[in-house]
Amino acid sequence: MTAERGSLPLQGKIVLVTGGGSGIGRSIATRLARDGAALAVADVVEPSARECAGEIEAAGGRAIAMHVDVTSKESVFAMVAAVVEAFGRIDIAVNNAGVGHNSAFLEIAEEDWDRMFAVNAKGVFLSMQAEGLQMKDQGSGGKIINIASIAGRHGPAYQAHYGASKAAVINLTQSTAKALAPYGITVNAINPGIVDTPMWRRTDGEIRDIRNREGENLESGDVTEEMRSQIPLGRISRPDDVASLAFYLASADSDYVTGQAFNVCGGLIMD
Ligand SMILES: NC(=O)c1ccc[n+]([C@@H]2O[C@H](COP(=O)([O-])OP(=O)(O)OC[C@H]3O[C@@H](n4cnc5c(N)ncnc54)[C@H](O)[C@@H]3O)[C@@H](O)[C@H]2O)c1
């Protein structure tokens, strides 16, 4: 699987990214395209997936866009079938689609809990089943990369439901790595920290509002600054910090790595 001298490291590889229309997923899709892969960009907001695919094609890459709702088994299996119809196979799958929500623990609504688990946990479970079946059929291994969160490592304030759904992703990554290892398929997770994306910007506002209701007097950006001040490397993450690790996990250099969950958080947590 070593790249030939002069060729790009992911030349000839077919990559699927869910939630590829925005933030981290978009950064991973464009990064892996620059490394030579052909991209299938899937998102519940199809126009944003089309924008990402357009950006890749404008830069000289190869990409298609499609709609998916990862909470639906039918939609997820149709997504995988559509990628295979377009490109013939899937070598690397990045299960990144996710939703966030912040609430004081005693006020988390049952629907909020269900939504976190439907998208973040069940979405990754269904995606890995569809991708795993396809990669097993292909008979030449594969790489699955799940985007979890440091919130899945330590129960965060105001995100009990989100954190629990991300802990599920880390645990699922381990079980699936064991199940798919006999087929040469590796399964790993990335735990981003505080990443400057639309999701984090919404989080900043939601936590500010909760804490202001609890008697504080925070302004927009204060929560982000408070988090930043706790990060040893001194800045919040850019999406491309996460894409760099996704590249390693997508490349042949990680062939002996499976069942792991890597924190990319500037040192905010270290276990
Ligand atoms: N931003 C952060 O600080 C941060 C930190 C840790 C983990 N994460 C995780 O990284 C991933 C990407 O987050 P982001 O910050 O780029 O957020 P984002 O909101 O910018 O992007 C998430 C994407 O997922 C898509 N999506 C949502 N529900 C979907 C569904 N049912 N089916 C298909 N697509 C769906 C959205 O349309 C969007 O394009 C998520 O799993 C998130 O939990 C983000």
Side-chain angles (χ1 to χ4, degrees):
M1 281 184 74
T2 310
E4 283 168 34
R5 189 178 291 271
S7 72
L8 293 167
L10 299 182
Q11 200 75 47
K13 298 293 182 192
I14 308 301
V15 178
L16 165 65
V17 179
T18 68
S22 175
I24 293 170
R26 186 162 178 159
S27 180
I28 292 173
T30 52
R31 165 73 203 259
L32 300 188
R34 281 202 302 281
D35 289 312
L39 262 293
V41 183
D43 206 292
V44 73
V45 182
E46 198 180 343
S48 68
R50 278 203 297 271
E51 254 183 48
C52 177
E55 185 184 335
I56 290 168
E57 297 234 296
R62 215 172 141 212
I64 57 168
M66 62 189 66
H67 174 268
V68 71
D69 178 355
V70 297
T71 67
S72 152
K73 181 172 181 178
E74 195 185 346
S75 180
V76 166
F77 277 71
M79 164 184 72
V80 167
V83 181
V84 174
E85 184 169 334
F87 290 128
R89 54 188 294 109
I90 300 177
D91 300 298
I92 297 149
V94 183
N95 299 316
N96 160 83
V99 287
H101 183 252
N102 300 275
S103 178
F105 175 74
L106 295 176
E107 291 165 12
I108 294 173
E110 187 179 1
E111 304 80 63
D112 294 330
W113 174 274
D114 288 346
R115 192 166 63 95
M116 290 301 109
F117 273 76
V119 181
N120 298 348
K122 184 177 160 191
V124 170
F125 160 68
L126 291 173
S127 299
M128 287 201 292
Q129 263 196 346
E131 296 151 1
L133 282 165
Q134 174 59 31
M135 288 175 180
K136 178 185 168 201
D137 276 359
Q138 291 168 187
S140 52
K143 288 175 177 285
I144 296 177
I145 303 161
N146 297 323
I147 307 303
S149 170
I150 60 168
R153 287 259 198 244
H154 295 281
Y158 309 119
Q159 296 182 337
H161 47 342
Y162 175 79
S165 72
K166 291 298 188 176
V169 173
I170 295 170
N171 194 284
L172 266 172
T173 297
Q174 297 167 350
S175 304
T176 313
K178 287 175 186 159
L180 300 184
Y183 310 110
I185 302 165
T186 63
V187 186
N188 292 289
I190 301 177
N191 300 327
I194 311 296
V195 193
D196 187 16
T197 70
M199 182 188 288
W200 174 260
R201 280 169 235 142
R202 285 191 297 274
T203 297
D204 177 90
E206 286 177 10
I207 294 181
R208 177 202 61 211
D209 291 347
I210 296 164
R211 288 175 51 180
N212 283 348
R213 279 197 299 278
E214 289 172 348
E216 294 188 67
N217 186 21
L218 297 170
E219 293 181 1
S220 175
D222 285 354
V223 172
T224 304
E225 174 52 25
E226 189 180 292
M227 296 305 299
R228 189 208 59 75
S229 70
Q230 296 168 36
I231 296 173
L233 289 179
R235 64 170 175 86
I236 67 165
S237 177
R238 299 182 306 264
D240 60 284
D241 296 313
V242 182
S244 298
L245 182 58
F247 165 70
Y248 165 72
L249 292 173
S251 76
D253 281 359
S254 64
D255 278 356
Y256 193 60
V257 177
T258 198
Q260 308 304 309
F262 300 92
N263 304 329
V264 180
C265 61
L268 180 58
I269 67 166
M270 297 196 178
D271 54 359

